Amino acid sequence: MTYMKKKYPIRLTPQRLAILEYLEGNKAHPSASDIYKAVSEKYPMMSFATVYNTLDTLREKMQVLELSIDSKKKRFDPNTKPHHHLICMECKAITDIHRKFALDLTDGERCDYKIMRNHIDFYGVCSNCKKKTK
Amino acid sequence: MTYMKKKYPIRLTPQRLAILEYLEGNKAHPSASDIYKAVSEKYPMMSFATVYNTLDTLREKMQVLELSIDSKKKRFDPNTKPHHHLICMECKAITDIHRKFALDLTDGERCDYKIMRNHIDFYGVCSNCKKKTK
DNA sequence: ATGTGTGCAAACGCTTTGCAATTTG
DNA sequence: CAAATTGCAAAGCGTTTGCACACAT
């Protein structure tokens, strides 16, 4: 487990390791309670506060992204490389798209903001749902 | 007030008119409680449930968009024309950007989806918040 | 010894719901 | 009259917080 020490610049408690283990490579964009449910099965000592604390810490250290895809709850993405999303309007599946798009705003559009990044959501219908609709 | 009859395909009660009046041309992307606060000052008979009911109905009839920009609460946009958003990461202000971006995905990226539309969020810091941070 | 992390439970804010009363077509 | 809408209050759910205890450096 110590292999993570370099990778994650936070103190690695058993709880945090359990959470990181669950997140590692997870492409489901889980919510905090998804994480709590999954992790507490294996490690029953886990508390909700610790999940939130850990996610907070990870977000501060940029080890996790907090997504606003779902207006009901935060969802988390362990893939911190900037990327975009392809979302199925039917089944809500989310696929990552790893490409940079150079999108420049005009001075007028920029409204004197300092722009840091952009995120694109592509909305469509996945191949599975296309079949069903027919 | 009857001028709205054609425009909004819903039964127009005084409460709904009050909400529509507040939303008409509103570019602040208000939350449900923003709407409740503003409208109930003028029409004290307004209840929270009615605000949510009305927003739900309007969303079904595509008269309002529900935004998931803010992970804490839903925000609503009376502008249903497709457009993009410039978001202040500090104060969560949202500015509309009315431009079409032609963003084509490669066949590989498209994952056999039928893509309908895209939405871009530009994240940055607005001029107000830039001042405060210094 | 000091700071950091944990667990519990209570509190909080936004949203939804059940239901009776009212209004509308 | 039947169906839709309203207001109220309670409940639901995700999230945050306060605090005492445990742990690590």
Side-chain angles (χ1 to χ4, degrees):
Chain A
M1 286 288 195
T2 50
Y3 73 95
M4 284 169 153
K5 289 239 167 181
K6 280 170 221 151
K7 200 164 170 187
Y8 298 108
I10 62 172
R11 190 193 289 178
L12 290 174
T13 64
Q15 291 86 340
R16 288 178 171 180
L17 278 169
I19 293 170
L20 287 167
E21 187 186 304
Y22 175 73
L23 284 177
E24 188 93 27
N26 188 317
K27 292 197 192 308
H29 309 81
S31 68
S33 55
D34 292 337
I35 297 169
Y36 173 73
K37 263 180 233 151
V39 173
S40 63
E41 268 179 37
K42 214 167 162 184
Y43 305 86
M45 84 294 267
M46 177 73 50
S47 90
F48 238 106
T50 299
V51 172
Y52 279 105
N53 285 339
T54 300
L55 287 170
D56 240 44
T57 307
L58 289 172
R59 186 177 39 70
E60 275 165 26
K61 308 283 185 191
M62 310 273 276
Q63 302 300 308
V64 130
L65 294 178
E66 188 183 301
L67 308 180
S68 325
I69 284 165
D70 189 333
S71 55
K72 292 211 174 112
K73 50 192 169 181
K74 294 179 184 172
R75 311 233 337 223
F76 297 87
D77 193 339
N79 178 359
T80 56
K81 271 175 268 171
H83 61 279
H84 308 284
H85 287 132
L86 176 53
I87 301 166
C88 175
M89 294 160 77
E90 301 291 330
C91 70
K92 312 290 180 195
I94 301 168
T95 307
D96 291 344
I97 293 183
H98 287 93
R99 173 154 46 123
K100 229 191 273 179
F101 290 86
L103 300 171
D104 290 318
L105 295 181
T106 65
D107 284 346
E109 288 168 334
R110 189 158 34 244
C111 292
D112 213 20
Y113 273 55
K114 181 185 180 189
I115 296 177
M116 313 295 285
R117 61 192 176 85
N118 63 58
H119 176 88
I120 310 171
D121 289 321
F122 294 89
Y123 291 93
V125 184
C126 74
S127 53
N128 255 343
C129 291
K130 265 193 290 186
K131 282 176 217 155
K132 285 177 201 158
T133 313
K134 276 172 200 164
Chain B
M1 285 290 196
T2 50
Y3 73 93
M4 283 170 153
K5 290 240 171 182
K6 279 171 224 154
K7 202 166 169 186
Y8 298 107
I10 61 171
R11 191 193 285 179
L12 289 172
T13 65
Q15 290 87 339
R16 289 178 170 182
L17 279 169
I19 292 169
L20 286 167
E21 190 185 301
Y22 175 73
L23 284 178
E24 187 94 27
N26 187 317
K27 292 198 194 303
H29 309 81
S31 68
S33 56
D34 292 337
I35 296 170
Y36 173 73
K37 264 181 231 152
V39 173
S40 63
E41 270 180 34
K42 216 168 163 183
Y43 305 86
M45 84 294 269
M46 178 71 51
S47 90
F48 237 106
T50 300
V51 172
Y52 279 103
N53 285 339
T54 301
L55 287 170
D56 240 45
T57 307
L58 289 172
R59 186 176 39 72
E60 275 165 25
K61 308 283 186 192
M62 310 272 277
Q63 302 301 306
V64 130
L65 295 179
E66 188 184 299
L67 309 180
S68 329
I69 280 162
D70 189 332
S71 52
K72 294 213 174 112
K73 52 192 170 184
K74 292 179 185 174
R75 299 193 41 182
F76 296 88
D77 193 340
N79 178 0
T80 56
K81 269 176 269 173
H83 60 279
H84 307 284
H85 287 132
L86 177 52
I87 301 163
C88 175
M89 294 160 76
E90 301 289 329
C91 70
K92 311 287 183 196
I94 303 170
T95 307
D96 290 344
I97 293 183
H98 286 91
R99 174 156 44 123
K100 231 191 272 178
F101 292 84
L103 300 172
D104 290 318
L105 294 181
T106 65
D107 284 345
E109 289 168 335
R110 188 157 37 243
C111 293
D112 213 21
Y113 273 56
K114 182 184 179 191
I115 295 177
M116 313 295 285
R117 60 191 176 84
N118 63 59
H119 176 88
I120 309 171
D121 290 322
F122 294 89
Y123 290 92
V125 184
C126 74
S127 50
N128 257 342
C129 291
K130 266 193 288 185
K131 281 175 216 155
K132 283 176 202 157
T133 314
K134 276 169 202 167

mmCIF file of all heavy atoms in Angstrom, chain B residues 12-45:
data_model
loop_
_atom_site.group_PDB
_atom_site.id
_atom_site.type_symbol
_atom_site.label_atom_id
_atom_site.label_comp_id
_atom_site.label_asym_id
_atom_site.label_seq_id
_atom_site.Cartn_x
_atom_site.Cartn_y
_atom_site.Cartn_z
ATOM 1 N N LEU B 12 -52.733 29.711 -16.491
ATOM 2 C CA LEU B 12 -52.051 30.851 -15.881
ATOM 3 C C LEU B 12 -52.767 31.366 -14.640
ATOM 4 O O LEU B 12 -53.659 32.205 -14.718
ATOM 5 C CB LEU B 12 -51.886 31.964 -16.917
ATOM 6 C CG LEU B 12 -50.859 31.613 -18.003
ATOM 7 C CD1 LEU B 12 -50.854 32.644 -19.103
ATOM 8 C CD2 LEU B 12 -49.478 31.468 -17.389
ATOM 9 N N THR B 13 -52.366 30.871 -13.520
ATOM 10 C CA THR B 13 -52.893 31.346 -12.244
ATOM 11 C C THR B 13 -52.122 32.591 -11.837
ATOM 12 O O THR B 13 -51.053 32.865 -12.386
ATOM 13 C CB THR B 13 -52.696 30.264 -11.174
ATOM 14 O OG1 THR B 13 -51.296 30.099 -10.982
ATOM 15 C CG2 THR B 13 -53.323 28.959 -11.606
ATOM 16 N N PRO B 14 -52.641 33.356 -10.869
ATOM 17 C CA PRO B 14 -51.909 34.553 -10.417
ATOM 18 C C PRO B 14 -50.502 34.207 -9.948
ATOM 19 O O PRO B 14 -49.545 34.926 -10.249
ATOM 20 C CB PRO B 14 -52.751 35.054 -9.243
ATOM 21 C CG PRO B 14 -54.113 34.536 -9.503
ATOM 22 C CD PRO B 14 -53.947 33.235 -10.214
ATOM 23 N N GLN B 15 -50.363 33.089 -9.248
ATOM 24 C CA GLN B 15 -49.048 32.687 -8.749
ATOM 25 C C GLN B 15 -48.081 32.430 -9.903
ATOM 26 O O GLN B 15 -46.932 32.868 -9.887
ATOM 27 C CB GLN B 15 -49.170 31.413 -7.907
ATOM 28 C CG GLN B 15 -49.856 31.603 -6.575
ATOM 29 C CD GLN B 15 -51.364 31.470 -6.688
ATOM 30 O OE1 GLN B 15 -51.927 31.609 -7.770
ATOM 31 N NE2 GLN B 15 -52.020 31.218 -5.572
ATOM 32 N N ARG B 16 -48.572 31.721 -10.895
ATOM 33 C CA ARG B 16 -47.709 31.407 -12.026
ATOM 34 C C ARG B 16 -47.340 32.655 -12.797
ATOM 35 O O ARG B 16 -46.200 32.806 -13.261
ATOM 36 C CB ARG B 16 -48.402 30.396 -12.942
ATOM 37 C CG ARG B 16 -48.483 29.032 -12.301
ATOM 38 C CD ARG B 16 -49.212 28.054 -13.181
ATOM 39 N NE ARG B 16 -49.074 26.700 -12.660
ATOM 40 C CZ ARG B 16 -49.584 25.640 -13.256
ATOM 41 N NH1 ARG B 16 -50.260 25.768 -14.375
ATOM 42 N NH2 ARG B 16 -49.411 24.446 -12.731
ATOM 43 N N LEU B 17 -48.293 33.558 -12.911
ATOM 44 C CA LEU B 17 -47.985 34.804 -13.596
ATOM 45 C C LEU B 17 -46.906 35.580 -12.860
ATOM 46 O O LEU B 17 -46.003 36.149 -13.468
ATOM 47 C CB LEU B 17 -49.251 35.661 -13.733
ATOM 48 C CG LEU B 17 -50.155 35.265 -14.903
ATOM 49 C CD1 LEU B 17 -51.489 35.984 -14.803
ATOM 50 C CD2 LEU B 17 -49.486 35.607 -16.227
ATOM 51 N N ALA B 18 -47.014 35.567 -11.524
ATOM 52 C CA ALA B 18 -46.016 36.286 -10.732
ATOM 53 C C ALA B 18 -44.631 35.698 -10.968
ATOM 54 O O ALA B 18 -43.642 36.422 -11.128
ATOM 55 C CB ALA B 18 -46.384 36.213 -9.257
ATOM 56 N N ILE B 19 -44.560 34.382 -11.022
ATOM 57 C CA ILE B 19 -43.272 33.726 -11.244
ATOM 58 C C ILE B 19 -42.756 34.017 -12.647
ATOM 59 O O ILE B 19 -41.586 34.358 -12.839
ATOM 60 C CB ILE B 19 -43.397 32.203 -11.009
ATOM 61 C CG1 ILE B 19 -43.662 31.927 -9.528
ATOM 62 C CG2 ILE B 19 -42.145 31.478 -11.469
ATOM 63 C CD1 ILE B 19 -44.055 30.500 -9.214
ATOM 64 N N LEU B 20 -43.655 33.934 -13.623
ATOM 65 C CA LEU B 20 -43.252 34.188 -15.004
ATOM 66 C C LEU B 20 -42.790 35.635 -15.184
ATOM 67 O O LEU B 20 -41.817 35.901 -15.885
ATOM 68 C CB LEU B 20 -44.418 33.893 -15.949
ATOM 69 C CG LEU B 20 -44.693 32.404 -16.141
ATOM 70 C CD1 LEU B 20 -46.034 32.179 -16.809
ATOM 71 C CD2 LEU B 20 -43.578 31.759 -16.956
ATOM 72 N N GLU B 21 -43.486 36.515 -14.505
ATOM 73 C CA GLU B 21 -43.125 37.936 -14.564
ATOM 74 C C GLU B 21 -41.706 38.135 -14.037
ATOM 75 O O GLU B 21 -40.905 38.876 -14.609
ATOM 76 C CB GLU B 21 -44.121 38.712 -13.692
ATOM 77 C CG GLU B 21 -44.081 40.211 -13.783
ATOM 78 C CD GLU B 21 -45.051 40.788 -12.754
ATOM 79 O OE1 GLU B 21 -46.269 40.466 -12.827
ATOM 80 O OE2 GLU B 21 -44.605 41.540 -11.869
ATOM 81 N N TYR B 22 -41.404 37.438 -12.956
ATOM 82 C CA TYR B 22 -40.064 37.554 -12.384
ATOM 83 C C TYR B 22 -39.004 36.930 -13.290
ATOM 84 O O TYR B 22 -37.892 37.447 -13.423
ATOM 85 C CB TYR B 22 -40.022 36.894 -11.006
ATOM 86 C CG TYR B 22 -38.639 36.859 -10.395
ATOM 87 C CD1 TYR B 22 -38.053 38.017 -9.892
ATOM 88 C CD2 TYR B 22 -37.917 35.671 -10.343
ATOM 89 C CE1 TYR B 22 -36.779 37.985 -9.345
ATOM 90 C CE2 TYR B 22 -36.650 35.640 -9.799
ATOM 91 C CZ TYR B 22 -36.083 36.793 -9.297
ATOM 92 O OH TYR B 22 -34.829 36.765 -8.763
ATOM 93 N N LEU B 23 -39.358 35.839 -13.939
ATOM 94 C CA LEU B 23 -38.382 35.138 -14.767
ATOM 95 C C LEU B 23 -38.150 35.816 -16.111
ATOM 96 O O LEU B 23 -37.046 35.758 -16.655
ATOM 97 C CB LEU B 23 -38.835 33.694 -15.016
ATOM 98 C CG LEU B 23 -38.668 32.722 -13.868
ATOM 99 C CD1 LEU B 23 -39.199 31.355 -14.241
ATOM 100 C CD2 LEU B 23 -37.192 32.616 -13.470
ATOM 101 N N GLU B 24 -39.191 36.454 -16.619
ATOM 102 C CA GLU B 24 -39.135 37.054 -17.955
ATOM 103 C C GLU B 24 -37.889 37.944 -18.105
ATOM 104 O O GLU B 24 -37.756 38.961 -17.445
ATOM 105 C CB GLU B 24 -40.413 37.876 -18.192
ATOM 106 C CG GLU B 24 -40.581 38.424 -19.600
ATOM 107 C CD GLU B 24 -41.409 37.494 -20.499
ATOM 108 O OE1 GLU B 24 -42.247 36.743 -19.961
ATOM 109 O OE2 GLU B 24 -41.184 37.519 -21.728
ATOM 110 N N GLY B 25 -36.995 37.509 -18.964
ATOM 111 C CA GLY B 25 -35.798 38.303 -19.230
ATOM 112 C C GLY B 25 -34.762 38.268 -18.131
ATOM 113 O O GLY B 25 -33.733 38.926 -18.212
ATOM 114 N N ASN B 26 -35.000 37.483 -17.087
ATOM 115 C CA ASN B 26 -34.074 37.392 -15.962
ATOM 116 C C ASN B 26 -32.804 36.641 -16.372
ATOM 117 O O ASN B 26 -32.855 35.494 -16.794
ATOM 118 C CB ASN B 26 -34.766 36.667 -14.812
ATOM 119 C CG ASN B 26 -33.942 36.677 -13.547
ATOM 120 O OD1 ASN B 26 -32.742 36.469 -13.579
ATOM 121 N ND2 ASN B 26 -34.581 36.945 -12.439
ATOM 122 N N LYS B 27 -31.670 37.300 -16.233
ATOM 123 C CA LYS B 27 -30.415 36.684 -16.670
ATOM 124 C C LYS B 27 -29.553 36.222 -15.499
ATOM 125 O O LYS B 27 -28.388 35.907 -15.660
ATOM 126 C CB LYS B 27 -29.620 37.676 -17.529
ATOM 127 C CG LYS B 27 -30.272 37.991 -18.864
ATOM 128 C CD LYS B 27 -29.255 38.609 -19.814
ATOM 129 C CE LYS B 27 -29.922 39.247 -21.020
ATOM 130 N NZ LYS B 27 -30.779 38.311 -21.787
ATOM 131 N N ALA B 28 -30.133 36.203 -14.314
ATOM 132 C CA ALA B 28 -29.339 35.875 -13.124
ATOM 133 C C ALA B 28 -29.305 34.377 -12.818
ATOM 134 O O ALA B 28 -28.633 33.965 -11.895
ATOM 135 C CB ALA B 28 -29.868 36.635 -11.916
ATOM 136 N N HIS B 29 -30.050 33.575 -13.586
ATOM 137 C CA HIS B 29 -30.106 32.140 -13.345
ATOM 138 C C HIS B 29 -30.447 31.849 -11.890
ATOM 139 O O HIS B 29 -29.669 31.210 -11.179
ATOM 140 C CB HIS B 29 -28.788 31.466 -13.726
ATOM 141 C CG HIS B 29 -28.322 31.819 -15.100
ATOM 142 N ND1 HIS B 29 -27.667 32.992 -15.385
ATOM 143 C CD2 HIS B 29 -28.442 31.189 -16.277
ATOM 144 C CE1 HIS B 29 -27.393 33.034 -16.672
ATOM 145 N NE2 HIS B 29 -27.848 31.968 -17.245
ATOM 146 N N PRO B 30 -31.595 32.335 -11.451
ATOM 147 C CA PRO B 30 -31.937 32.257 -10.029
ATOM 148 C C PRO B 30 -32.252 30.842 -9.569
ATOM 149 O O PRO B 30 -32.652 29.994 -10.372
ATOM 150 C CB PRO B 30 -33.198 33.128 -9.938
ATOM 151 C CG PRO B 30 -33.807 33.062 -11.298
ATOM 152 C CD PRO B 30 -32.650 32.957 -12.252
ATOM 153 N N SER B 31 -32.068 30.602 -8.283
ATOM 154 C CA SER B 31 -32.463 29.337 -7.670
ATOM 155 C C SER B 31 -33.926 29.436 -7.265
ATOM 156 O O SER B 31 -34.514 30.519 -7.280
ATOM 157 C CB SER B 31 -31.610 29.073 -6.438
ATOM 158 O OG SER B 31 -31.920 30.024 -5.436
ATOM 159 N N ALA B 32 -34.487 28.306 -6.861
ATOM 160 C CA ALA B 32 -35.890 28.313 -6.460
ATOM 161 C C ALA B 32 -36.113 29.272 -5.297
ATOM 162 O O ALA B 32 -37.118 29.985 -5.258
ATOM 163 C CB ALA B 32 -36.330 26.903 -6.077
ATOM 164 N N SER B 33 -35.190 29.329 -4.366
ATOM 165 C CA SER B 33 -35.414 30.218 -3.220
ATOM 166 C C SER B 33 -35.201 31.678 -3.603
ATOM 167 O O SER B 33 -35.854 32.553 -3.050
ATOM 168 C CB SER B 33 -34.571 29.814 -2.017
ATOM 169 O OG SER B 33 -33.217 29.761 -2.344
ATOM 170 N N ASP B 34 -34.319 31.938 -4.554
ATOM 171 C CA ASP B 34 -34.235 33.309 -5.089
ATOM 172 C C ASP B 34 -35.603 33.723 -5.616
ATOM 173 O O ASP B 34 -36.088 34.830 -5.344
ATOM 174 C CB ASP B 34 -33.243 33.385 -6.261
ATOM 175 C CG ASP B 34 -31.807 33.164 -5.818
ATOM 176 O OD1 ASP B 34 -31.511 33.375 -4.628
ATOM 177 O OD2 ASP B 34 -30.986 32.774 -6.667
ATOM 178 N N ILE B 35 -36.213 32.825 -6.374
ATOM 179 C CA ILE B 35 -37.504 33.115 -6.978
ATOM 180 C C ILE B 35 -38.557 33.302 -5.898
ATOM 181 O O ILE B 35 -39.328 34.251 -5.918
ATOM 182 C CB ILE B 35 -37.906 31.978 -7.943
ATOM 183 C CG1 ILE B 35 -36.901 31.907 -9.104
ATOM 184 C CG2 ILE B 35 -39.319 32.185 -8.473
ATOM 185 C CD1 ILE B 35 -37.049 30.675 -9.981
ATOM 186 N N TYR B 36 -38.557 32.400 -4.938
ATOM 187 C CA TYR B 36 -39.536 32.502 -3.852
ATOM 188 C C TYR B 36 -39.405 33.829 -3.114
ATOM 189 O O TYR B 36 -40.383 34.519 -2.881
ATOM 190 C CB TYR B 36 -39.384 31.347 -2.878
ATOM 191 C CG TYR B 36 -40.245 31.492 -1.663
ATOM 192 C CD1 TYR B 36 -41.620 31.295 -1.740
ATOM 193 C CD2 TYR B 36 -39.700 31.889 -0.444
ATOM 194 C CE1 TYR B 36 -42.429 31.463 -0.634
ATOM 195 C CE2 TYR B 36 -40.500 32.052 0.673
ATOM 196 C CZ TYR B 36 -41.862 31.835 0.573
ATOM 197 O OH TYR B 36 -42.662 32.016 1.669
ATOM 198 N N LYS B 37 -38.175 34.154 -2.762
ATOM 199 C CA LYS B 37 -37.954 35.406 -2.019
ATOM 200 C C LYS B 37 -38.476 36.600 -2.802
ATOM 201 O O LYS B 37 -39.248 37.405 -2.284
ATOM 202 C CB LYS B 37 -36.450 35.596 -1.755
ATOM 203 C CG LYS B 37 -36.012 35.109 -0.378
ATOM 204 C CD LYS B 37 -34.509 35.367 -0.184
ATOM 205 C CE LYS B 37 -33.804 34.114 0.281
ATOM 206 N NZ LYS B 37 -32.390 34.030 -0.120
ATOM 207 N N ALA B 38 -38.043 36.712 -4.046
ATOM 208 C CA ALA B 38 -38.412 37.867 -4.858
ATOM 209 C C ALA B 38 -39.917 37.950 -5.058
ATOM 210 O O ALA B 38 -40.522 39.008 -4.880
ATOM 211 C CB ALA B 38 -37.699 37.799 -6.202
ATOM 212 N N VAL B 39 -40.523 36.833 -5.391
ATOM 213 C CA VAL B 39 -41.940 36.854 -5.748
ATOM 214 C C VAL B 39 -42.818 37.037 -4.519
ATOM 215 O O VAL B 39 -43.833 37.723 -4.565
ATOM 216 C CB VAL B 39 -42.320 35.577 -6.525
ATOM 217 C CG1 VAL B 39 -43.809 35.507 -6.749
ATOM 218 C CG2 VAL B 39 -41.582 35.541 -7.855
ATOM 219 N N SER B 40 -42.426 36.442 -3.397
ATOM 220 C CA SER B 40 -43.309 36.508 -2.231
ATOM 221 C C SER B 40 -43.296 37.886 -1.574
ATOM 222 O O SER B 40 -44.180 38.215 -0.809
ATOM 223 C CB SER B 40 -42.952 35.424 -1.219
ATOM 224 O OG SER B 40 -41.650 35.614 -0.732
ATOM 225 N N GLU B 41 -42.294 38.680 -1.876
ATOM 226 C CA GLU B 41 -42.340 40.070 -1.406
ATOM 227 C C GLU B 41 -43.540 40.792 -2.002
ATOM 228 O O GLU B 41 -44.247 41.521 -1.326
ATOM 229 C CB GLU B 41 -41.068 40.815 -1.830
ATOM 230 C CG GLU B 41 -39.954 40.730 -0.813
ATOM 231 C CD GLU B 41 -38.725 41.477 -1.271
ATOM 232 O OE1 GLU B 41 -38.871 42.519 -1.961
ATOM 233 O OE2 GLU B 41 -37.609 41.008 -0.963
ATOM 234 N N LYS B 42 -43.703 40.581 -3.287
ATOM 235 C CA LYS B 42 -44.781 41.255 -4.000
ATOM 236 C C LYS B 42 -46.116 40.536 -3.818
ATOM 237 O O LYS B 42 -47.159 41.174 -3.765
ATOM 238 C CB LYS B 42 -44.409 41.305 -5.493
ATOM 239 C CG LYS B 42 -44.845 42.571 -6.198
ATOM 240 C CD LYS B 42 -44.193 42.658 -7.574
ATOM 241 C CE LYS B 42 -44.879 43.661 -8.472
ATOM 242 N NZ LYS B 42 -44.262 43.664 -9.821
ATOM 243 N N TYR B 43 -46.060 39.217 -3.759
ATOM 244 C CA TYR B 43 -47.288 38.425 -3.637
ATOM 245 C C TYR B 43 -47.157 37.497 -2.438
ATOM 246 O O TYR B 43 -46.778 36.339 -2.582
ATOM 247 C CB TYR B 43 -47.511 37.594 -4.901
ATOM 248 C CG TYR B 43 -47.535 38.404 -6.171
ATOM 249 C CD1 TYR B 43 -46.359 38.710 -6.853
ATOM 250 C CD2 TYR B 43 -48.745 38.865 -6.693
ATOM 251 C CE1 TYR B 43 -46.383 39.457 -8.021
ATOM 252 C CE2 TYR B 43 -48.779 39.609 -7.857
ATOM 253 C CZ TYR B 43 -47.589 39.902 -8.518
ATOM 254 O OH TYR B 43 -47.607 40.640 -9.679
ATOM 255 N N PRO B 44 -47.473 38.000 -1.251
ATOM 256 C CA PRO B 44 -47.180 37.265 -0.022
ATOM 257 C C PRO B 44 -47.928 35.942 0.092
ATOM 258 O O PRO B 44 -47.593 35.129 0.943
ATOM 259 C CB PRO B 44 -47.650 38.231 1.070
ATOM 260 C CG PRO B 44 -47.815 39.550 0.402
ATOM 261 C CD PRO B 44 -48.168 39.263 -1.010
ATOM 262 N N MET B 45 -48.924 35.724 -0.769
ATOM 263 C CA MET B 45 -49.668 34.463 -0.673
ATOM 264 C C MET B 45 -48.872 33.301 -1.260
ATOM 265 O O MET B 45 -49.286 32.154 -1.146
ATOM 266 C CB MET B 45 -51.029 34.579 -1.375
ATOM 267 C CG MET B 45 -50.997 34.343 -2.886
ATOM 268 S SD MET B 45 -50.056 35.606 -3.810
ATOM 269 C CE MET B 45 -51.352 36.793 -4.184
#
